[in-house]
Every structure is written in structure tokens, then in C-alpha cells.
Amino acid sequence: MTDPEFHLNCPLPLANHEQVLLAHGGGGRLMQQLLEQVITPAIDNATLQSRHDSAVIEVGGQRFAFTTDSFVVRPLVFNGGDIGKLAVCGTVNDLAMAGARPLFLSLGLIIEEGFAMERLQGIMRSIGSTATAAGVIIVTGDTKVVERGKGDGLYINTAGIGIIEYQQQIAPASIRAGDAIILSGDIGRHGIAIMTQRENLQFETAIASDCAPLHREVAALLNAGIEIHCLRDLTRGGLASALVELAQTAQLGIQIDEHAIAVTPPVRAACEILGLDPLHVANEGRFIAIVPQAHAAAALERLATFGTDYAPALIGQVTTADPGLVTMTSLIGATRIVDMLSGEQLPRIC
């Protein structure tokens, strides 16, 4: 390891703040409070209350998924991707989590004066190639340039539209007691890849982000006739925040087994050194599928065909016990409650 001077923001337990903190954007409990107490009340409606990755809208008897996202990752280029690839994959994945086939994207660029043209061209090539590979078309966009020192290089905003071609109601409200929880691969790569590069930490094995589109995995499940109750990609806040949010929305308990959750040895070692819990570390190419137990084996078989380094795994189930809580059987056999972070573990991660 070189240059051990790095900075981690401590989670903040206080619920009330007079100013917005960086931690309010971290995907944890403070962000939930910001949404529930400040943002959502001003614009609340039934679609927002579904707390889904995408809004599901019916037009002329056809259902569409609609989503938007913004990307402020630092550094802009990292091992396994860059802000452009991240923007396309993140928006495609939000659509896929509603069971939609992604069709069209928008692209908004906010560029700081002085940003190197060659660097911008490289990121645009990444956006183009990732969109082509994912089978989506960028059909509209906007470009703004802000004063030097006011934009931190480059921010990207995207929106996406996809078509839902299956009758299943894939949403948190469809989760049922007894459902199986399937994790599509290992966790923690994206957050640790960003952190090690940002802080110039070096390990024997380089850690690359898992940044990737997930719509083909979802389509494979749907095409196989697998009943899906809910999907959720694991981004800020990691596996823990996704499970807690779903348990609270569905008002059901979730029980998971730490033995079944894959973490690569380099990611685990980095987490131990940095004092991070892999359950809270961000991912950009992993998701959970919540399906009836009778469909779990078939879902695992279909996902295994995508050949990730770590096979998809059945990591737990939905229960009627402890509504709104996530409990985990740890590696040593103890049972503990899994919660969201109060604040921000790794800022500017996506």
C-alpha cells in the first residue's frame, strides 16, 4: 500500500440537519430521510410511492418503464469503466429492474470550462460503444458548460425509456413471504475499485469495477418463464441498503445467510484494511431477484449461463417474522440485524 493518507466520512446518526450533507446522497438512511421528509412530499403521487427503480407507465394499453439518473463519480475514469460507461449501464439497469427492454436514452452533459477535449472525446466514445453493445439508442440530449472550478470536470445526467413486454408485476409490492432471494454474483467490486484508485491504494491483485448492463440476464429469466416478484440492482448502499429498503416497502422480514454471499478475496482484504462492510459497498453490475421458491432452481440455472466469476447464489428468503427488518446468519453462526448506513461510507461512487 502506498500513500496511506485517505479519508472516510463517518456515518452521521443525527436525523435533522439545517444543511444538506454529502451523506444525504449516499443511498443510506440519511438519503431516505431526505427523500421522505423534503423531496417526495412536494411531488408525491402513486407512482413515486411504488419505490421502484423505474416508473411504470401505461400508454395505449402498453406498459413502459421510465427512469432518470445522474452521475458524479470521482475519478472519471477507473479500473473497469468510466463515467460514460457507468451512465449508460446505470440507466439500462434501472429499466431492466422493472422487467423492461431498454429502448432509448437521453444524455445531459455538464462540462467544466477547461476540461480536456481529448478526455471528453474518450468518454464520448465509451458512451457510444456501451450504448451500442447494450442495444439502446441515445436520441436526445443537452450540453452545458459551467465556469472553471464550478463543475468538477464532468457530470452526466441520463433518462431512459424501455418497453415492458411481459404481464408480470415486477415491483416491491409483489414480494411474498416464502420467496427466495437470489444474488447474481459477488459483491463490492465497484466501490472498492473506485476507493483504491481515488486514494492510490495498491494491492497485489488489481480490483476492477463490475460495471455492466444487466438487461440480458433479466430477459433470460423472463424468456424462461420464471415468475419474478421483484428485482433490484445493487448500487449505492450495496446489498444491505437494497434489502432493507425492500423489507420496509413490503413490510415483510428478510433473512439471509452470509455463507452464501460471495466476496472475492481481494475485495474482502481491502474491506478489512479500510474498515468497510462488503454488504454496504456499491456495485454496478449485480442484482437480486426475488422469486417464488419453486422457481429458484431454474433462475439460478439461467443466470449461471452468463459466466460471471462467481456463480449466482440463493442467499436467503422472505419471511413473516420481523416485518421491515433484515437479519443475517453470520459466518460464525450468530444472528444480527443488517441495517442501512446512517450516512455516507464512500462518497461520489456513481
Side-chain angles (χ1 to χ4, degrees):
M1 182 188 307
T2 63
D3 190 8
E5 184 180 350
F6 60 88
H7 308 278
L8 295 177
N9 285 22
C10 294
L12 299 174
L14 299 177
N16 300 314
H17 301 271
E18 294 184 355
Q19 297 178 330
V20 175
L21 306 176
L22 194 60
H24 280 112
R29 189 167 303 285
L30 281 185
M31 184 169 181
Q32 293 302 315
Q33 291 174 352
L34 181 68
L35 292 172
E36 293 171 0
Q37 298 174 8
V38 179
I39 295 177
T40 302
I43 55 175
D44 199 17
N45 58 65
T47 303
L48 284 178
Q49 289 174 5
S50 68
R51 303 182 71 176
H52 209 350
D53 283 313
S54 292
V56 175
I57 301 168
E58 185 167 327
V59 180
Q62 177 64 60
R63 290 190 300 156
F64 295 89
F66 177 43
T67 189
T68 186
D69 208 340
S70 298
F71 299 86
V72 297
V73 66
R74 181 173 60 86
L76 297 177
V77 179
F78 49 85
N79 190 9
D82 56 45
I83 190 172
K85 179 181 179 181
L86 190 65
V88 175
C89 291
T91 308
V92 164
N93 291 346
D94 281 346
L95 296 171
M97 295 304 109
R101 179 165 60 87
L103 296 175
F104 305 112
L105 266 60
S106 72
L107 177 70
L109 302 174
I110 301 174
I111 309 168
E112 181 182 345
E113 179 186 18
F115 194 73
M117 195 64 73
E118 183 178 0
R119 199 175 192 195
L120 180 60
Q121 289 172 329
I123 290 172
M124 287 307 304
R125 285 194 294 271
S126 177
I127 291 171
S129 61
T130 305
T132 299
V136 296
I137 304 172
I138 298 172
V139 293
T140 188
D142 181 53
T143 302
K144 296 287 192 301
V145 178
V146 298
E147 297 96 326
R148 193 183 299 267
K150 300 292 181 62
D152 206 10
L154 175 67
Y155 298 141
I156 295 179
N157 173 266
T158 55
I161 295 174
I163 187 169
I164 300 175
E165 299 169 306
Y166 298 86
Q167 295 304 311
Q168 300 192 38
Q169 302 296 322
I170 300 173
S174 298
I175 298 172
R176 297 290 180 269
D179 282 350
I181 301 170
I182 292 172
L183 174 62
S184 66
D186 60 297
I187 62 171
R189 291 196 198 191
H190 178 71
I192 295 301
I194 296 291
M195 190 65 189
T196 54
Q197 188 163 341
R198 184 185 299 172
E199 305 299 344
N200 195 27
L201 305 178
Q202 296 180 3
F203 297 90
E204 289 186 2
T205 302
I207 301 170
S209 169
D210 59 355
C211 183
L214 297 168
H215 60 299
R216 293 189 175 89
E217 284 92 329
V218 173
L221 296 176
L222 292 168
N223 291 336
I226 294 167
E227 183 178 338
I228 301 173
H229 287 173
C230 189
L231 299 165
R232 181 60 54 96
D233 58 338
L234 310 177
T235 55
R236 287 173 301 170
L239 175 62
S241 290
L243 291 174
V244 172
E245 186 174 333
L246 291 177
Q248 292 177 348
T249 303
Q251 276 304 293
L252 290 166
I254 288 180
Q255 194 281 321
I256 58 175
D257 184 353
E258 190 173 12
H259 279 284
I261 300 171
V263 181
T264 67
V267 169
R268 187 175 296 283
C271 286
E272 290 175 354
I273 292 172
L274 298 171
L276 306 176
D277 185 342
L279 294 177
H280 292 125
V281 177
N283 313 266
E284 288 294 342
R286 299 289 182 266
F287 70 102
I288 51 174
I290 299 180
V291 305
Q293 289 283 352
H295 291 243
L300 288 167
E301 181 178 350
R302 293 300 301 172
L303 291 176
T305 63
F306 286 87
T308 56
D309 294 340
Y310 283 76
L314 176 61
I315 65 167
Q317 62 182 341
V318 181
T319 74
T320 56
D322 304 316
L325 291 182
V326 177
T327 58
M328 182 174 74
T329 303
S330 70
L331 296 175
I332 61 173
T335 299
R336 73 174 176 94
I337 293 175
V338 176
D339 203 356
M340 292 182 180
L341 285 174
S342 295
E344 177 71 283
Q345 182 172 239
L346 302 175
R348 305 281 300 274
I349 209 74
C350 61

